[in-house]
Amino acid sequence: MTEEAENSEQGALSKIDTSVPQSARIWNYWLGGKDNYEVDRVAGDAFREIFPGIETGARAARYFLARAVRHLAAEEGIRQFLDVGTGLPNVDNTHQIAQRVAPECRIVYVDNDPLVLAHARALLTSTPEGVTNYVDADLREPETIVREAAKTLDFDQPVALMLMGILGHIEDHDEACSIVRQLVDALPSGSYFVQYDSTSTSKSYVKAIQQYNEGGSLPYILRSPEQIERYFDGLELLEPGVTSCSRWRPDAGAWGLPAEVHQYGGVALKR
């Protein structure tokens, strides 16, 4: 590691607040990762006591990401991915899935969490034929995201925009819809939008989120499936539309229809 990279990593680590739980770290804990702190594990356990299905939902959302990226790279010929709200590195990140299908894929990750920034080197691996880059920016800065991503991605060619589990952090739903529109408007025809968020379809989930939001962390707002569908306005949803993540094109060989989870998402084409 260069001295500049080491200084950047140390600077990011110094900004990490370990006094309050943080959603990306809690999610990492639920997925079996190691990039979390005691405060995150305590909050994650308290959440699970109220809503025991959270780990199943977290895994289903992760598998949805994998299936969506694999479909876009293998079946739709997408070679560029803009993954906003990346979260912490895990097994089979976007670039690994896409470049496994097509080594020449170009991926830009976007996040502004200090711990994610500190782990950015793990996300910046790439095949020799492709490119992986990282942008330090906030979801509320769509113009900055597009401008910085354009240094790596060609916005004259189709791009897959991914907003995975992060729009719930935008408390005002109209503002969340506006951010989506601004990002989608920057994409050329033939691009795709991939999105999921947690939903208010379980009373125990709603109760667990209320407790989490009272703990001083960045609030997360559960929304109805109908509200999630609004993010796809003006786009052409692929079958089966907006649905429980576990039921979006489950892998062949699965016996029967998978049980629903309270994370809903979809994939849509921009004509």
Side-chain angles (χ1 to χ4, degrees):
M1 179 170 32
T2 66
E3 182 178 349
E4 181 181 359
E6 185 173 0
N7 289 339
S8 175
E9 182 171 322
Q10 290 302 317
L13 286 170
S14 69
K15 297 177 183 177
I16 296 171
D17 184 356
T18 60
S19 65
V20 295
Q22 199 268 351
S23 61
R25 302 193 311 245
I26 296 173
W27 207 254
N28 175 267
Y29 171 55
W30 286 331
L31 288 170
K34 305 297 183 183
D35 298 314
N36 48 74
Y37 298 93
E38 179 66 20
V39 67
D40 307 307
R41 295 188 285 273
V42 169
D45 289 342
F47 196 108
R48 185 171 48 204
E49 284 184 14
I50 299 173
F51 181 64
I54 187 57
E55 289 177 338
T56 300
R59 288 192 295 270
R62 192 73 188 178
Y63 297 151
F64 165 66
L65 179 153
R67 294 195 303 276
V69 171
R70 190 169 64 234
H71 172 80
L72 292 178
E75 305 299 328
E76 308 296 347
I78 297 297
R79 297 295 179 263
Q80 302 188 110
F81 294 82
L82 177 56
D83 188 342
V84 183
T86 304
L88 291 161
N90 213 299
V91 176
D92 271 357
N93 300 289
T94 298
H95 72 283
Q96 294 165 317
I97 300 164
Q99 291 181 344
R100 194 176 299 141
V101 174
E104 69 273 22
C105 284
R106 306 173 74 86
I107 295 89
V108 170
Y109 291 109
V110 181
D111 211 302
N112 71 335
D113 180 83
L115 188 57
V116 177
L117 179 61
H119 286 79
R121 287 185 299 110
L123 290 169
L124 293 178
T125 58
S126 176
T127 58
E129 302 92 332
V131 177
T132 306
N133 212 338
Y134 180 90
V135 171
D136 182 9
D138 191 278
L139 175 61
R140 294 176 175 85
E141 304 170 339
E143 291 183 0
T144 300
I145 290 171
V146 172
R147 182 183 69 246
E148 295 302 311
K151 297 176 181 178
T152 301
L153 306 179
D154 179 1
F155 278 81
D156 289 327
Q157 299 297 321
V159 176
L161 168 67
M162 302 171 59
L163 300 177
M164 311 299 273
I166 61 168
L167 288 171
H169 287 303
I170 306 298
E171 294 189 53
D172 183 86
H173 187 235
D174 287 337
E175 181 185 0
C177 290
S178 175
I179 290 170
V180 172
R181 291 281 72 75
Q182 292 177 70
L183 290 170
V184 169
D185 285 348
L187 306 178
S189 297
S191 294
Y192 286 83
F193 175 46
V194 187
Q195 192 272 335
Y196 85 82
D197 262 298
S198 297
T199 57
S200 55
T201 46
S202 162
K203 289 182 179 180
S204 59
Y205 202 174
V206 171
K207 182 178 179 181
I209 282 288
Q210 288 174 341
Q211 175 177 285
Y212 169 80
N213 288 345
E214 291 169 359
S217 305
L218 179 66
Y220 186 92
I221 309 301
L222 297 177
R223 297 198 161 104
S224 68
E226 292 75 22
Q227 286 177 307
I228 289 179
E229 284 184 16
R230 275 193 59 195
Y231 298 140
F232 296 91
D233 284 354
L235 303 175
E236 184 178 310
L237 276 162
L238 304 189
E239 292 294 334
V242 173
T243 187
S244 172
C245 284
S246 58
R247 294 187 171 185
W248 193 90
R249 304 193 178 192
D251 288 330
W255 188 83
L257 197 61
E260 289 191 331
V261 295
H262 301 285
Q263 287 73 30
Y264 275 57
V267 180
L269 167 66
K270 179 180 180 181
R271 287 290 185 184

